[in-house]
Amino acid sequence: MLSAVLAWHAPYSVSRPIGVQRPRPSRGRPGMSERAQFLGGATISRSLIGEGCGLAEFLLSRASDAPLLGAGSDVECKQTGTDLWECQMPQIGMIGFTVKPVLTVLLERSGTSSLCIRVESAQIYLLYPGASNAQLLQGCVIDSANKVTWSASEGGWLLTTDLELRVGVELPRTFLLPRASVERPASAILRQFCAMQCNQFLLSLEQSYKAWARTQDLGLAPSSLAGAPTLRAVD
């Protein structure tokens, strides 16, 4: 859905970065009332049966950074602060242009049974065929936070992801219809998209955990087994 939003909004882009903060449902942010607001999110759980007692150790360690940040994809990143990462996400091919997201992500591990993946800021670049330089997308505001929790359950673990996502898009001056005419259907599609992404995220996280657990059993370094996304350091 985000790709569709970018595709629709791209013709109105100029050089201005996208601001991204954690959702604050009870407080409107200045300027958001001037935009169409697409509200998404999903809460999905997945049972991990017979997976031993190492899930908490894995999620609270640096070994889980890659699957948490990449959500199943390889990402290029560099650590810019304590628990703060700049991530160059995989490019998204659209009709007529390519989207290159660069996200600044805060990975918060503040407890023993939960963590939060929060996008602090973002720059979305658009690269058109034949162009020498990419352009920054204008007029889009994204609020995103993904809280991951885990708890012991009968025979294994219950892993839950709770994603909140809000996308604000400036409408073109020529748009004469009520905002609700696009907000309601787009929000419904966005929620479906979030549910699909959350399921994929949990599946990727489970696969990465199993790969890590095998390295622990065999006494190998985590990189010795394939099956998990990797982080490639960027200078």
Side-chain angles (χ1 to χ4, degrees):
M1 176 58 195
L2 180 55
S3 298
V5 170
L6 295 175
W8 174 72
H9 191 61
Y12 308 99
S13 62
V14 295
S15 296
R16 192 170 72 196
I18 295 176
V20 184
Q21 295 181 356
R22 184 172 182 171
R24 297 180 177 86
S26 62
R27 295 184 181 181
R29 195 170 51 189
M32 285 299 285
S33 61
E34 301 174 0
R35 300 180 172 93
Q37 298 186 54
F38 308 144
L39 304 178
T43 301
I44 304 292
S45 296
R46 184 177 181 88
S47 295
L48 280 64
I49 305 299
E51 294 301 332
C53 59
L55 181 63
E57 179 184 353
F58 170 68
L59 292 173
L60 293 174
S61 72
R62 291 299 181 187
S64 64
D65 284 352
L68 290 171
L69 294 171
S73 301
D74 288 349
V75 298
E76 295 183 355
C77 71
K78 62 180 178 181
Q79 191 166 8
T80 59
T82 303
D83 299 323
L84 197 65
W85 298 82
E86 181 182 285
C87 302
Q88 298 183 27
M89 308 303 292
Q91 297 184 14
I92 305 170
M94 309 297 294
I95 299 176
F97 63 95
T98 300
V99 178
K100 300 173 61 177
V102 179
L103 309 180
T104 299
V105 179
L106 180 63
L107 184 52
E108 298 179 302
R109 293 182 172 97
S110 56
T112 59
S113 59
S114 68
L115 58 85
C116 185
I117 308 161
R118 184 192 312 171
V119 179
E120 294 287 292
S121 64
Q123 291 178 316
I124 308 298
Y125 293 91
L126 304 177
L127 183 61
Y128 294 91
S132 57
N133 297 313
Q135 292 181 321
L136 283 173
L137 180 64
Q138 169 191 304
C140 183
V141 176
I142 304 172
D143 292 343
S144 177
N146 185 9
K147 185 176 182 180
V148 180
T149 59
W150 55 93
S151 59
S153 63
E154 186 176 355
W157 294 87
L158 183 65
L159 185 60
T160 300
T161 176
D162 182 9
L163 174 64
E164 294 179 330
L165 177 62
R166 181 172 62 181
V167 181
V169 178
E170 289 182 357
L171 297 173
R173 294 180 180 179
T174 55
F175 191 85
L176 301 179
L177 296 176
R179 285 185 302 164
S181 66
V182 294
E183 288 178 333
R184 290 174 182 172
S187 293
I189 296 172
L190 187 58
R191 287 191 292 272
Q192 294 176 359
F193 175 81
C194 287
M196 180 183 68
Q197 290 295 104
C198 284
N199 275 305
Q200 293 179 351
F201 171 72
L202 290 180
L203 176 60
S204 172
L205 203 57
E206 179 183 2
Q207 292 172 341
S208 298
Y209 166 61
K210 289 180 177 179
W212 173 85
R214 288 195 298 270
T215 68
Q216 302 302 299
D217 292 339
L218 297 174
L220 301 174
S223 59
S224 299
L225 288 177
T230 57
L231 294 179
R232 294 191 294 272
V234 176
D235 295 330

